[in-house]
Amino acid sequence: MITKDIIEFLKSYTIAIEESNAAVFAGAGLSKPAGFVNWKELLRDIAEEISLNIDKESDLIAVAQYHVNESGGNRGKINQTLVDEFTKDAEFTENHKILSRLPINTYWTTNYDTLIEGALKSEGKRIDTKITTENLAITRSNSDAKIYKMHGDISLPHDAVLTKDDYENYNSKRQLFTTALQGDLVSKTMLFIGFSFDDPNLEYILSRIRILLEQNKRTHYCFMKKVQREDFNEETEFHYAEIKQKLKVNDLKRYSIKVLLVNEYPDITTILKELEQQYKRRNVFISGSASNYGSWGEKRCLEFASNLSKAIIKNGNNIVTGFGLGVGSCVISGALEEIYKTRSQRVEERLISRPFPQNTTGQIPLNELWTTHRNNMIQNVGISVFIFGNKIDISTGNVTQASGMIEEFKISLSCGAVPIPIGATGFTAKEIWETVMREFDCYVPIPILKPLFSLLGDETKSDEALIKTVIEIIKKLANRNK
């Protein structure tokens, strides 16, 4: 299922997300699984009123225009149909959820529904929705994502682009949308999802960009379901559809759009999940605490924490840490040393340090506040590294398990992060390592990595060897499909 083209897409689009150059163009196919109709179903009753069979029609824009013509130029019935169909209660799909969790700041859509807006809001994101040309002149401050409703929105059904008149007058009424889309197609990597490429507006824009940029176009991607034999009654129909799809795929290459063929629509969800994981695996959470340094001694422990942090940054990953007791300062100093070696790196992009509050006078108990803080820290990481892990029991004065590290291990698993416990550092990290090794396939997505994980529990290994092993695991996780 994971083809060479999909592997290339995952790599390229992940980089685009990291560089804030990723965009999504959503068509009706994204909303259909949520319960909304496609264009044919939307216009079925409209077509019947003018004695047409919608299943025999390919020019749906013309069907809408015919109805307006036959109604004496009145599009009231079409407006009511839009309201009836797109104000139904609908839950956004898993694809909506995945896309909304990713830091993608630009969305284009021809859909009239508000599923994208709802999914982004559910993730606590501030959105700036552009429905009319007047909206384009106003910017919502501190927004996390812009949504361009290229064909309008259900809140303004009378302005929705649907008929031939609407399309023919598009550039006079909504020229700024065309200009803005041209800019994004030139400067961003666009993922088309649920889109059929039958829209005349988009075809015009793509053709203009092709002519203007010639061979210097940016590569975009789109998902397309591969033609399947079981979807057709006759063998000849299947072969005809195969030929037509092949021609369509090749034609899209003119616009530098690479088609990602999937066997079934659920495969798209699988690919998007992998995209999310690959993006998140650039972010590494370091969980560690040490009130007692055991047989390692304080100097070795602190140097190990610092060198581990340096190596992770040098590998191109970002670090998230909670400033753990005893070792947190060295995790931060090691990362900063490596970051400051080059002026091209910004600290806030490579290192996120979120210390835990030690006291509270608020209404939320401290332990609940810590749990919420941990969840917030870990939700956007794809790998969690565990080192040492102990604390002093105030009541007895004895060294005990770091319960916070255990909680961070559980949260990491619930967020889909791969745990990398360095068992050789002892204490809670060793306990987690033993847990992972007992049921390795349950915790790590690549079974062949087990020998490398085994090395992390070898107390005879040097610090350099342990760190090298961690980096090797991180690299293999990043290139799991290669």
PDB file of all heavy atoms in Angstrom, residues 409-430:
ATOM      1  N   PHE A 409       5.277   8.078  30.375  1.00  0.00           N
ATOM      2  CA  PHE A 409       5.345   6.895  29.523  1.00  0.00           C
ATOM      3  C   PHE A 409       3.946   6.525  29.018  1.00  0.00           C
ATOM      4  O   PHE A 409       3.737   6.299  27.821  1.00  0.00           O
ATOM      5  CB  PHE A 409       5.956   5.735  30.312  1.00  0.00           C
ATOM      6  CG  PHE A 409       5.923   4.397  29.619  1.00  0.00           C
ATOM      7  CD1 PHE A 409       6.575   4.208  28.408  1.00  0.00           C
ATOM      8  CD2 PHE A 409       5.225   3.332  30.181  1.00  0.00           C
ATOM      9  CE1 PHE A 409       6.545   2.968  27.772  1.00  0.00           C
ATOM     10  CE2 PHE A 409       5.192   2.096  29.555  1.00  0.00           C
ATOM     11  CZ  PHE A 409       5.852   1.914  28.346  1.00  0.00           C
ATOM     12  N   LYS A 410       2.963   6.515  29.919  1.00  0.00           N
ATOM     13  CA  LYS A 410       1.593   6.168  29.546  1.00  0.00           C
ATOM     14  C   LYS A 410       0.994   7.206  28.599  1.00  0.00           C
ATOM     15  O   LYS A 410       0.309   6.862  27.636  1.00  0.00           O
ATOM     16  CB  LYS A 410       0.730   6.033  30.801  1.00  0.00           C
ATOM     17  CG  LYS A 410       1.106   4.845  31.681  1.00  0.00           C
ATOM     18  CD  LYS A 410       0.260   4.788  32.940  1.00  0.00           C
ATOM     19  CE  LYS A 410       0.637   3.574  33.799  1.00  0.00           C
ATOM     20  NZ  LYS A 410      -0.144   3.537  35.066  1.00  0.00           N
ATOM     21  N   ILE A 411       1.257   8.488  28.875  1.00  0.00           N
ATOM     22  CA  ILE A 411       0.741   9.549  28.007  1.00  0.00           C
ATOM     23  C   ILE A 411       1.373   9.439  26.626  1.00  0.00           C
ATOM     24  O   ILE A 411       0.705   9.614  25.605  1.00  0.00           O
ATOM     25  CB  ILE A 411       1.004  10.938  28.618  1.00  0.00           C
ATOM     26  CG1 ILE A 411       0.180  11.126  29.894  1.00  0.00           C
ATOM     27  CG2 ILE A 411       0.674  12.049  27.620  1.00  0.00           C
ATOM     28  CD1 ILE A 411       0.515  12.384  30.671  1.00  0.00           C
ATOM     29  N   SER A 412       2.660   9.150  26.585  1.00  0.00           N
ATOM     30  CA  SER A 412       3.366   8.992  25.305  1.00  0.00           C
ATOM     31  C   SER A 412       2.712   7.908  24.465  1.00  0.00           C
ATOM     32  O   SER A 412       2.489   8.078  23.257  1.00  0.00           O
ATOM     33  CB  SER A 412       4.841   8.660  25.540  1.00  0.00           C
ATOM     34  OG  SER A 412       5.513   9.729  26.176  1.00  0.00           O
ATOM     35  N   LEU A 413       2.393   6.793  25.093  1.00  0.00           N
ATOM     36  CA  LEU A 413       1.755   5.693  24.374  1.00  0.00           C
ATOM     37  C   LEU A 413       0.380   6.108  23.861  1.00  0.00           C
ATOM     38  O   LEU A 413       0.012   5.793  22.726  1.00  0.00           O
ATOM     39  CB  LEU A 413       1.623   4.474  25.287  1.00  0.00           C
ATOM     40  CG  LEU A 413       2.934   3.829  25.761  1.00  0.00           C
ATOM     41  CD1 LEU A 413       2.633   2.665  26.696  1.00  0.00           C
ATOM     42  CD2 LEU A 413       3.772   3.357  24.579  1.00  0.00           C
ATOM     43  N   SER A 414      -0.380   6.814  24.681  1.00  0.00           N
ATOM     44  CA  SER A 414      -1.727   7.229  24.266  1.00  0.00           C
ATOM     45  C   SER A 414      -1.680   8.233  23.126  1.00  0.00           C
ATOM     46  O   SER A 414      -2.622   8.326  22.338  1.00  0.00           O
ATOM     47  CB  SER A 414      -2.488   7.832  25.454  1.00  0.00           C
ATOM     48  OG  SER A 414      -1.922   9.075  25.855  1.00  0.00           O
ATOM     49  N   CYS A 415      -0.575   8.976  23.011  1.00  0.00           N
ATOM     50  CA  CYS A 415      -0.426   9.962  21.938  1.00  0.00           C
ATOM     51  C   CYS A 415       0.252   9.373  20.700  1.00  0.00           C
ATOM     52  O   CYS A 415       0.482  10.087  19.721  1.00  0.00           O
ATOM     53  CB  CYS A 415       0.379  11.160  22.439  1.00  0.00           C
ATOM     54  SG  CYS A 415      -0.484  12.170  23.660  1.00  0.00           S
ATOM     55  N   GLY A 416       0.594   8.097  20.754  1.00  0.00           N
ATOM     56  CA  GLY A 416       1.219   7.451  19.603  1.00  0.00           C
ATOM     57  C   GLY A 416       2.714   7.654  19.511  1.00  0.00           C
ATOM     58  O   GLY A 416       3.325   7.332  18.489  1.00  0.00           O
ATOM     59  N   ALA A 417       3.325   8.193  20.562  1.00  0.00           N
ATOM     60  CA  ALA A 417       4.782   8.398  20.557  1.00  0.00           C
ATOM     61  C   ALA A 417       5.498   7.079  20.835  1.00  0.00           C
ATOM     62  O   ALA A 417       5.039   6.260  21.631  1.00  0.00           O
ATOM     63  CB  ALA A 417       5.173   9.436  21.602  1.00  0.00           C
ATOM     64  N   VAL A 418       6.617   6.875  20.166  1.00  0.00           N
ATOM     65  CA  VAL A 418       7.420   5.658  20.361  1.00  0.00           C
ATOM     66  C   VAL A 418       8.325   5.853  21.569  1.00  0.00           C
ATOM     67  O   VAL A 418       9.098   6.815  21.619  1.00  0.00           O
ATOM     68  CB  VAL A 418       8.268   5.349  19.113  1.00  0.00           C
ATOM     69  CG1 VAL A 418       9.116   4.106  19.343  1.00  0.00           C
ATOM     70  CG2 VAL A 418       7.380   5.166  17.886  1.00  0.00           C
ATOM     71  N   PRO A 419       8.257   4.970  22.560  1.00  0.00           N
ATOM     72  CA  PRO A 419       9.123   5.113  23.748  1.00  0.00           C
ATOM     73  C   PRO A 419      10.511   4.553  23.497  1.00  0.00           C
ATOM     74  O   PRO A 419      10.664   3.466  22.948  1.00  0.00           O
ATOM     75  CB  PRO A 419       8.381   4.295  24.802  1.00  0.00           C
ATOM     76  CG  PRO A 419       7.686   3.223  24.020  1.00  0.00           C
ATOM     77  CD  PRO A 419       7.326   3.838  22.682  1.00  0.00           C
ATOM     78  N   ILE A 420      11.532   5.315  23.888  1.00  0.00           N
ATOM     79  CA  ILE A 420      12.914   4.833  23.816  1.00  0.00           C
ATOM     80  C   ILE A 420      13.513   4.946  25.224  1.00  0.00           C
ATOM     81  O   ILE A 420      14.131   5.955  25.576  1.00  0.00           O
ATOM     82  CB  ILE A 420      13.760   5.643  22.807  1.00  0.00           C
ATOM     83  CG1 ILE A 420      13.121   5.618  21.419  1.00  0.00           C
ATOM     84  CG2 ILE A 420      15.178   5.071  22.727  1.00  0.00           C
ATOM     85  CD1 ILE A 420      13.921   6.392  20.372  1.00  0.00           C
ATOM     86  N   PRO A 421      13.314   3.917  26.057  1.00  0.00           N
ATOM     87  CA  PRO A 421      13.874   3.950  27.411  1.00  0.00           C
ATOM     88  C   PRO A 421      15.326   3.477  27.412  1.00  0.00           C
ATOM     89  O   PRO A 421      15.646   2.435  26.842  1.00  0.00           O
ATOM     90  CB  PRO A 421      12.980   2.977  28.174  1.00  0.00           C
ATOM     91  CG  PRO A 421      12.487   2.024  27.125  1.00  0.00           C
ATOM     92  CD  PRO A 421      12.474   2.755  25.811  1.00  0.00           C
ATOM     93  N   ILE A 422      16.195   4.270  27.990  1.00  0.00           N
ATOM     94  CA  ILE A 422      17.616   3.890  28.073  1.00  0.00           C
ATOM     95  C   ILE A 422      17.788   3.155  29.399  1.00  0.00           C
ATOM     96  O   ILE A 422      18.101   3.754  30.443  1.00  0.00           O
ATOM     97  CB  ILE A 422      18.534   5.120  27.960  1.00  0.00           C
ATOM     98  CG1 ILE A 422      18.183   5.910  26.689  1.00  0.00           C
ATOM     99  CG2 ILE A 422      20.003   4.689  27.936  1.00  0.00           C
ATOM    100  CD1 ILE A 422      19.016   7.165  26.485  1.00  0.00           C
ATOM    101  N   GLY A 423      17.555   1.848  29.349  1.00  0.00           N
ATOM    102  CA  GLY A 423      17.555   1.042  30.562  1.00  0.00           C
ATOM    103  C   GLY A 423      18.864   1.068  31.323  1.00  0.00           C
ATOM    104  O   GLY A 423      18.885   0.905  32.546  1.00  0.00           O
ATOM    105  N   ALA A 424      19.973   1.257  30.622  1.00  0.00           N
ATOM    106  CA  ALA A 424      21.288   1.255  31.267  1.00  0.00           C
ATOM    107  C   ALA A 424      21.444   2.397  32.269  1.00  0.00           C
ATOM    108  O   ALA A 424      22.332   2.344  33.128  1.00  0.00           O
ATOM    109  CB  ALA A 424      22.386   1.349  30.209  1.00  0.00           C
ATOM    110  N   THR A 425      20.594   3.429  32.187  1.00  0.00           N
ATOM    111  CA  THR A 425      20.685   4.538  33.149  1.00  0.00           C
ATOM    112  C   THR A 425      20.030   4.184  34.477  1.00  0.00           C
ATOM    113  O   THR A 425      20.134   4.935  35.451  1.00  0.00           O
ATOM    114  CB  THR A 425      20.028   5.820  32.595  1.00  0.00           C
ATOM    115  OG1 THR A 425      18.643   5.571  32.335  1.00  0.00           O
ATOM    116  CG2 THR A 425      20.695   6.264  31.300  1.00  0.00           C
ATOM    117  N   GLY A 426      19.327   3.041  34.515  1.00  0.00           N
ATOM    118  CA  GLY A 426      18.786   2.537  35.769  1.00  0.00           C
ATOM    119  C   GLY A 426      17.469   3.155  36.182  1.00  0.00           C
ATOM    120  O   GLY A 426      16.807   3.870  35.430  1.00  0.00           O
ATOM    121  N   PHE A 427      17.059   2.822  37.409  1.00  0.00           N
ATOM    122  CA  PHE A 427      15.865   3.358  38.049  1.00  0.00           C
ATOM    123  C   PHE A 427      14.601   3.136  37.211  1.00  0.00           C
ATOM    124  O   PHE A 427      14.411   2.065  36.640  1.00  0.00           O
ATOM    125  CB  PHE A 427      16.077   4.845  38.380  1.00  0.00           C
ATOM    126  CG  PHE A 427      17.295   5.095  39.210  1.00  0.00           C
ATOM    127  CD1 PHE A 427      18.449   5.648  38.650  1.00  0.00           C
ATOM    128  CD2 PHE A 427      17.328   4.750  40.563  1.00  0.00           C
ATOM    129  CE1 PHE A 427      19.587   5.861  39.417  1.00  0.00           C
ATOM    130  CE2 PHE A 427      18.465   4.978  41.344  1.00  0.00           C
ATOM    131  CZ  PHE A 427      19.594   5.523  40.757  1.00  0.00           C
ATOM    132  N   THR A 428      13.734   4.138  37.107  1.00  0.00           N
ATOM    133  CA  THR A 428      12.457   3.974  36.402  1.00  0.00           C
ATOM    134  C   THR A 428      12.668   3.726  34.910  1.00  0.00           C
ATOM    135  O   THR A 428      11.895   3.001  34.276  1.00  0.00           O
ATOM    136  CB  THR A 428      11.573   5.218  36.613  1.00  0.00           C
ATOM    137  OG1 THR A 428      11.448   5.475  38.016  1.00  0.00           O
ATOM    138  CG2 THR A 428      10.183   5.016  36.018  1.00  0.00           C
ATOM    139  N   ALA A 429      13.711   4.335  34.336  1.00  0.00           N
ATOM    140  CA  ALA A 429      14.003   4.121  32.910  1.00  0.00           C
ATOM    141  C   ALA A 429      14.270   2.643  32.639  1.00  0.00           C
ATOM    142  O   ALA A 429      13.864   2.107  31.600  1.00  0.00           O
ATOM    143  CB  ALA A 429      15.199   4.968  32.486  1.00  0.00           C
ATOM    144  N   LYS A 430      14.929   1.975  33.584  1.00  0.00           N
ATOM    145  CA  LYS A 430      15.204   0.548  33.422  1.00  0.00           C
ATOM    146  C   LYS A 430      13.903  -0.258  33.490  1.00  0.00           C
ATOM    147  O   LYS A 430      13.695  -1.205  32.712  1.00  0.00           O
ATOM    148  CB  LYS A 430      16.175   0.061  34.499  1.00  0.00           C
ATOM    149  CG  LYS A 430      16.570  -1.407  34.329  1.00  0.00           C
ATOM    150  CD  LYS A 430      17.615  -1.840  35.352  1.00  0.00           C
ATOM    151  CE  LYS A 430      18.017  -3.296  35.122  1.00  0.00           C
ATOM    152  NZ  LYS A 430      19.053  -3.731  36.094  1.00  0.00           N
TER     153      LYS A 430
END
